[in-house]
Amino acid sequence: MPSVLTKWLSSVSSWLWQRFAPAGLVLLLPAAALCQARPVATVPVSGGSTRLISAMPMAFEENDGQLAPTLAYMGRAQSYSVGIERDGLSFFMPNSTIGVQFAGSHGGSPVSLSGLAYRSNYFIGSDPSRWHEGVANYSRVGVRGIYPGIDTEFYEKNGELEHDFVLAPGADAREIHLDLRSQRRATLTTAGDAVIPAAGGELRFRKPVAYQFDAQGRRVAVDASYRLSGHNLRFEVGAYDRSRTLVIDPVIVFATYVSGTAGSTPTQMATDGSGTLFIIGSTTNVNGFPALPGSANPTKSVGTGSGSTNIFVAALSSSQLGSALKWLTFLGNSGATTTTSVGTSIAFSSHSSGTLYIGGTTSATGFPGVNTSTSFGGAFPTGSGSVTGFVTSLNATTGTSPNSSYVSSSGPSATVKDTTTVTGLAADSSGDVFISGHGLGIGLPLKNELGKASGSNSIVPPSVTAL
């Protein structure tokens, strides 16, 4: 090796060691890419970015088979999810579920009112036939004809769920009966709100606002309030012009007492250099709904098995972060077993018209997109209680086409518990991927090994391998 290159590699190795060794990381480098690597704009997520995730406007995702069949749409907020059905609503919060049935309704017709450009992708489990790509999202949806002459519409405004009952001329507001299905009894506050206690918080139906428009197009307020009898909630409406449309708008809010009990936690960001921001994180809120018997829904409860953690990846326009979500992808395990998949790393490469690489750790034996015959890490480690690292590539434009590889360092022994974690990624324009992480280090395919500490659980200093 020429002396200049030797000195360069030595300096790079020294810098990498100073950068990563304090965190106990092992660096894995594609040997062919040593002279091609370039810095990648990848940074940890700050508090502001966490607020960015939580401040994303609620969108309503249509049911493409990824949800229980009773659901027409799903709305996902940071601390709760809401399922919109033909004859009611289901609210899913941390450790509690509240149903709102439109009592006496024979069920209406779901309708999409205002579309969004972004799509959702679900890669849950290893069976591609159960994946869902390009699921449509909407900013406003509704259900027509829940009662004679009465429709309902759902949308977000100022971070709150607006639920409008739209009464056609001649329709009777007394037809609307909300059957509150909860383990805890609802109460009315002195301010006129209906409050349903929930584990770790409360679901609050704010005092309804009612209005209609006169012949000149002016909004005219109409008195409205709740009447609560047991679990039955009704509207009491003052005098109004029954020849005109009436809107009754009870804003619905879920207030959590414990910060961070649900939703998504971002961990790292990357950019493609041309205005798109990619965020990876972990979530216990993949679909928020229990699968019903016979459902095509590949997930159960909060993600896969009850209590599971899965991975989300989001692409946003960096010019309008709060309103320009391009796509949202979920990855995890299928089945009833509780598993944990944590996304820790993300990197962008211009290779193949834009490829996104994500990494982390998983206990999922059926992680999506893994081909064990060609996987860098082979099959999932067999040691009891193992978790292992993973690297997945996605189409950066659509968030689809997952190609995954386990990164296991436990070796072939069934008695060794694997603890490999991928903690950092970088990629160059030729598609080579640089992986940093930590683990036992005894089963990784090494090339040009630089050194290994005897009896240590880390490789010292960084070793070089080819993916």
Side-chain angles (χ1 to χ4, degrees), residues 64 84 101 148-149 226 246 272 307 316 332 362 456:
D64 186 45
I84 298 173
Q101 193 77 18
Y226 292 122
L246 174 68
D272 64 358
L316 306 94
T362 182
S456 172

Short mmCIF file of all heavy atoms in Angstrom, two decimals, residues 64 84 101 148-149 226 246 272 307 316 332 362 456:
data_model
loop_
_atom_site.label_atom_id
_atom_site.label_comp_id
_atom_site.label_asym_id
_atom_site.label_seq_id
_atom_site.Cartn_x
_atom_site.Cartn_y
_atom_site.Cartn_z
N ASP A 64 -56.87 -0.02 3.85
CA ASP A 64 -56.50 -0.79 2.66
C ASP A 64 -56.27 -2.26 3.02
O ASP A 64 -55.64 -2.99 2.28
CB ASP A 64 -55.22 -0.18 2.06
CG ASP A 64 -54.84 -0.82 0.73
OD1 ASP A 64 -55.72 -1.01 -0.12
OD2 ASP A 64 -53.64 -1.15 0.56
N ILE A 84 -62.40 5.55 12.73
CA ILE A 84 -63.70 6.03 12.26
C ILE A 84 -64.43 4.88 11.60
O ILE A 84 -63.96 4.29 10.63
CB ILE A 84 -63.51 7.22 11.30
CG1 ILE A 84 -62.82 8.37 12.03
CG2 ILE A 84 -64.86 7.66 10.73
CD1 ILE A 84 -62.42 9.52 11.13
N GLN A 101 -70.46 5.03 20.21
CA GLN A 101 -71.37 4.42 19.25
C GLN A 101 -72.48 5.40 18.91
O GLN A 101 -73.03 6.06 19.80
CB GLN A 101 -71.97 3.14 19.84
CG GLN A 101 -72.69 2.26 18.84
CD GLN A 101 -71.74 1.47 17.97
OE1 GLN A 101 -70.57 1.32 18.32
NE2 GLN A 101 -72.21 0.97 16.85
N PRO A 148 -81.02 9.84 9.52
CA PRO A 148 -81.70 10.48 8.39
C PRO A 148 -81.39 11.97 8.28
O PRO A 148 -81.62 12.73 9.23
CB PRO A 148 -83.18 10.24 8.70
CG PRO A 148 -83.19 8.99 9.53
CD PRO A 148 -81.95 9.07 10.37
N GLY A 149 -80.77 12.36 7.15
CA GLY A 149 -80.44 13.76 6.92
C GLY A 149 -79.26 14.27 7.71
O GLY A 149 -79.01 15.48 7.74
N TYR A 226 -74.81 19.76 26.15
CA TYR A 226 -74.95 18.31 26.29
C TYR A 226 -76.00 17.99 27.35
O TYR A 226 -76.22 18.73 28.32
CB TYR A 226 -73.63 17.68 26.75
CG TYR A 226 -72.52 17.71 25.74
CD1 TYR A 226 -71.30 18.32 26.06
CD2 TYR A 226 -72.64 17.10 24.49
CE1 TYR A 226 -70.25 18.33 25.16
CE2 TYR A 226 -71.61 17.11 23.58
CZ TYR A 226 -70.41 17.74 23.92
OH TYR A 226 -69.38 17.76 23.02
N LEU A 246 -77.76 23.01 9.65
CA LEU A 246 -77.25 23.26 10.99
C LEU A 246 -76.00 22.42 11.20
O LEU A 246 -75.96 21.23 10.86
CB LEU A 246 -78.29 22.90 12.04
CG LEU A 246 -77.83 22.97 13.52
CD1 LEU A 246 -77.59 24.42 13.93
CD2 LEU A 246 -78.85 22.30 14.44
N ASP A 272 -31.23 14.66 1.98
CA ASP A 272 -30.70 14.28 0.66
C ASP A 272 -29.95 15.42 0.00
O ASP A 272 -29.47 15.29 -1.12
CB ASP A 272 -31.82 13.78 -0.25
CG ASP A 272 -32.86 14.86 -0.56
OD1 ASP A 272 -32.72 15.99 -0.05
OD2 ASP A 272 -33.80 14.57 -1.32
N GLY A 307 -47.84 -4.38 23.30
CA GLY A 307 -46.67 -3.78 23.92
C GLY A 307 -45.46 -3.73 23.03
O GLY A 307 -44.39 -3.31 23.48
N LEU A 316 -39.97 14.32 4.85
CA LEU A 316 -40.65 15.60 4.88
C LEU A 316 -39.93 16.60 3.99
O LEU A 316 -38.72 16.51 3.80
CB LEU A 316 -40.72 16.17 6.29
CG LEU A 316 -41.31 15.31 7.40
CD1 LEU A 316 -40.21 14.55 8.12
CD2 LEU A 316 -42.07 16.18 8.38
N GLY A 332 -41.68 -3.73 11.11
CA GLY A 332 -41.67 -4.48 12.35
C GLY A 332 -42.04 -5.93 12.14
O GLY A 332 -42.10 -6.41 11.01
N THR A 362 -33.20 -5.27 16.76
CA THR A 362 -34.51 -5.89 16.74
C THR A 362 -34.50 -7.25 17.42
O THR A 362 -33.48 -7.95 17.41
CB THR A 362 -35.02 -6.04 15.29
OG1 THR A 362 -36.34 -6.60 15.32
CG2 THR A 362 -34.12 -6.95 14.47
N SER A 456 -12.57 -9.34 25.11
CA SER A 456 -13.40 -8.14 25.11
C SER A 456 -14.65 -8.36 24.29
O SER A 456 -14.70 -9.20 23.41
CB SER A 456 -12.62 -6.96 24.54
OG SER A 456 -13.47 -5.85 24.37
#
